[in-house]
Amino acid sequence: MKLTVVGGGSTYTPELIDGFARLRDTLPITELVLVDPAAERLELVGGLARRIFAKQGHAGKIVTTTDLDAGVEGADAVLLQLRIGGQAARLQDETWPLECGCVGQETTGAGGLAKALRTVPVVLDIAERVRRTNPDAWIIDFTNPVGIVTRALLQAGHKAVGLCNVAIGFQRKFAKLLDVAPSEIHLDHVGLNHLTWERAVRIGGPEGENVLPRLLAEHGDAVAGDLRLPRPVLDRLGVVPSYYLRYFYAHDEVVRELGSKPSRAAEVAAMEKELLEMYGDPALDEKPALLAKRGGAFYSEAAVDLAASLLGGGGSPYQVVNTYNNGTLPFLPDDAVIETQAAVGAHGATPLPVAPVDPLYAGLIANVTAYEDLALEAALRGGRDRVFKALLAHPLVGQYAYADGLTDRLIAHNREHLAWA
């Protein structure tokens, strides 16, 4: 089995490698190719990857290359983990929206739109090259904003499934609090990427006992603390929102916080510099503890599970993924991309039936889906008016003066990545 990681020079990659090594019985990779245009960085990551495989007794071959076409040729699955513009672009995404009094964040709001505009054309080009070399290959998208990028891939006819680590993070956290195996936890996870709610936490599968009320009663303070939301909010809602919902539920508070401290991008850039220095140490043969602070917890386990199921292996029968709605949420178009529990196998991902969604959540889901429609149109066709309309539609922007100012800033800071600009 050959698997290719595009963006293999990412500092995330050793987390992925560790998962491939530990879970080799689930996903028996014989060849792993790391593709990245940054040759020096790629060799640092690739060297550590080979040492991790060797230490854990994985017989698979690890290849590094800057040649995308060679790297994806013959791959059974291609995993995308790109950051167009690097941490410098992320820093901009987190900074200029604050000048207009809006949240500065890399996957939602104005910063998320900027990332989508930079990313979608590049991902579609990569996917076309994958299709030319191996039309049967699966594309697993971990590149943010996952919902918009996955929708672009699916609309272009690619065999693609989107993946995020939010759900598996909740699964692992809830399992620890409830003292059960993670595999026993089944989430009623509904919404869009980075806009989801856990409406039930079931033990033993989709029909199992819902223990969410007990979880909130016994561990509500811990859950609320992780989400940085007041405990009474969780009690009143009776659900566990994604931590990204704080940008919506406490927007002004978050804007004040972001304007008073160094950006997350600056923290990550410093962390990446230290990580790359560590990766260059020939004595290092395991993922360093510092990597846990980088983000992406349990990403490797989610990726292995999904790839194994898509490739006919031993993955879990039900997984939270990003895929076409196809009637699952009746208030959305069929071609909207939702994030939900799905039956996953060689056929792809088929969403499980979802109980009716409360208007409190359905309204926001529909609003952000409309924004994503406009965002994808702007990413595919360009133009200032399309960018403005997408921003005006986003609930974190929503006022024409803000949308105008953000449009000018977005274009100014991303001109080198926007062919139409």
Side-chain angles (χ1 to χ4, degrees), residues 364-416:
L364 187 53
I365 292 169
N367 190 340
V368 175
T369 297
Y371 151 76
E372 291 189 348
D373 289 346
L374 295 167
L376 183 53
E377 183 76 2
L380 294 174
R381 301 179 63 190
R384 187 188 188 282
D385 284 350
R386 293 187 181 93
V387 174
F388 170 79
K389 289 177 181 177
L391 288 167
L392 188 62
H394 201 295
L396 295 181
V397 180
Q399 298 184 53
Y400 72 84
Y402 287 173
D404 250 338
L406 290 168
T407 298
D408 291 337
R409 287 167 171 80
L410 186 155
I411 293 172
H413 286 291
N414 291 277
R415 200 175 300 276
E416 65 181 294

Side-chain angles (χ1 to χ4, degrees), residues 110-148:
L113 177 60
K115 194 172 197 300
L117 297 183
R118 293 193 303 267
T119 304
V120 166
V122 176
V123 165
L124 289 178
D125 176 67
I126 292 169
E128 282 299 327
R129 292 160 78 171
V130 171
R131 181 153 55 188
R132 286 199 300 267
T133 61
N134 184 6
D136 293 326
W138 279 103
I139 296 176
I140 298 173
D141 176 55
F142 193 70
T143 297
N144 282 318
V146 167
I148 295 172

Side-chain angles (χ1 to χ4, degrees), residues 38-92:
E40 183 176 349
R41 180 183 178 118
L42 181 62
E43 285 311 305
L44 291 174
V45 174
L48 175 57
R50 294 184 185 99
R51 295 192 296 273
I52 291 174
F53 263 31
K55 181 179 182 179
Q56 299 198 29
H58 195 301
K61 176 184 179 183
I62 295 180
V63 177
T64 57
T65 181
T66 58
D67 185 335
L68 175 66
D69 293 321
V72 301
E73 185 173 2
D76 296 290
V78 177
L79 196 152
L80 306 180
Q81 53 172 33
L82 313 177
R83 185 180 294 280
I84 306 303
Q87 293 299 329
R90 176 179 180 171
L91 178 61
Q92 296 296 333

Side-chain angles (χ1 to χ4, degrees), residues 107-299:
T107 66
T108 192
L113 177 60
K115 194 172 197 300
L117 297 183
R118 293 193 303 267
T119 304
V120 166
V122 176
V123 165
L124 289 178
D125 176 67
I126 292 169
E128 282 299 327
R129 292 160 78 171
V130 171
R131 181 153 55 188
R132 286 199 300 267
T133 61
N134 184 6
D136 293 326
W138 279 103
I139 296 176
I140 298 173
D141 176 55
F142 193 70
T143 297
N144 282 318
V146 167
I148 295 172
V149 173
T150 301
R151 185 168 180 181
L153 289 165
L154 291 172
Q155 283 189 179
H158 298 290
K159 293 176 60 177
V161 180
L163 181 64
C164 180
N165 70 321
V166 167
I168 194 172
F170 275 134
Q171 181 198 46
R172 297 302 197 267
K173 186 179 301 294
F174 297 161
K176 185 175 182 180
L177 291 172
L178 295 166
D179 194 25
V180 299
S183 60
E184 288 294 300
I185 297 290
H186 183 92
L187 302 174
D188 178 0
H189 180 102
V190 65
L192 311 176
N193 180 241
H194 290 182
L195 194 86
T196 53
W197 296 262
E198 312 304 332
R199 300 186 302 169
V201 177
R202 301 190 182 279
I203 301 294
E207 305 302 324
E209 177 193 2
N210 178 21
V211 297
L212 180 57
R214 174 162 65 90
L215 178 72
L216 290 177
E218 297 177 1
H219 305 286
D221 288 344
V223 175
D226 286 341
L227 299 174
R228 300 187 63 203
L229 288 171
R231 165 74 184 270
V233 172
L234 299 192
D235 291 338
R236 291 169 71 182
L237 294 177
V239 302
V240 178
S242 159
Y243 51 86
Y244 287 92
L245 265 298
R246 187 169 182 262
Y247 297 120
F248 296 82
Y249 291 164
H251 175 274
D252 294 351
E253 179 183 340
V254 172
V255 169
R256 288 192 295 270
E257 286 179 5
L258 294 175
S260 64
K261 65 179 184 180
S263 70
R264 172 63 177 165
E267 295 176 1
V268 170
M271 204 178 304
E272 285 202 334
K273 182 179 179 182
E274 186 175 352
L275 283 169
L276 288 170
E277 290 174 356
M278 297 171 73
Y279 295 172
D281 179 358
L284 184 67
D285 57 6
E286 61 185 10
K287 64 177 183 179
L290 178 62
L291 188 55
K293 298 180 180 180
R294 173 66 180 82
F298 308 114
Y299 159 41

